[in-house]
Amino acid sequence: MSIVIRDQGVIKMYSKGADSIIKNRLASDQSFDLDDELYRFSVIGLRTLLVAMRIVSESEYREFKARVNKLPS
């Protein structure tokens, strides 16, 4: 699921989902490791969702919106 917010002229795209999906979509230069934290939650029976945010350009947003609009309803 993605949500797009315009904040003072900046387009921010938020996505939420399972850790296995979101972690694979993170930029390769991310310097943090979530695995230890996710493991700690899992051993006490907690399920997790991750939320990620990316700032996108106007052209990236238009391309994204065009692709979404082509999806079947």
Side-chain angles (χ1 to χ4, degrees):
M1 165 188 237
S2 293
I3 297 172
V4 176
I5 296 176
R6 289 181 184 264
D7 181 23
Q8 298 179 7
V10 176
I11 303 170
K12 298 177 180 179
M13 181 178 293
Y14 292 86
S15 296
K16 75 167 181 76
D19 57 88
S20 58
I21 301 299
I22 298 296
K23 281 176 26 180
N24 288 335
R25 294 181 180 174
L26 293 175
S28 60
D29 63 347
Q30 294 296 319
S31 62
F32 56 89
D33 184 13
L34 297 172
D35 291 331
D36 290 340
E37 295 299 321
L38 293 171
Y39 176 76
R40 286 179 358 141
F41 289 138
S42 71
V43 296
I44 59 173
L46 297 176
R47 297 184 62 198
T48 57
L49 287 175
L50 297 183
V51 177
M53 186 275 297
R54 178 175 178 216
I55 295 174
V56 297
S57 68
E58 186 68 39
S59 62
E60 287 176 305
Y61 172 69
R62 282 194 305 269
E63 290 174 21
F64 170 78
K65 187 175 178 182
R67 286 193 311 264
V68 168
N69 289 338
K70 288 181 182 179
L71 294 174
S73 318

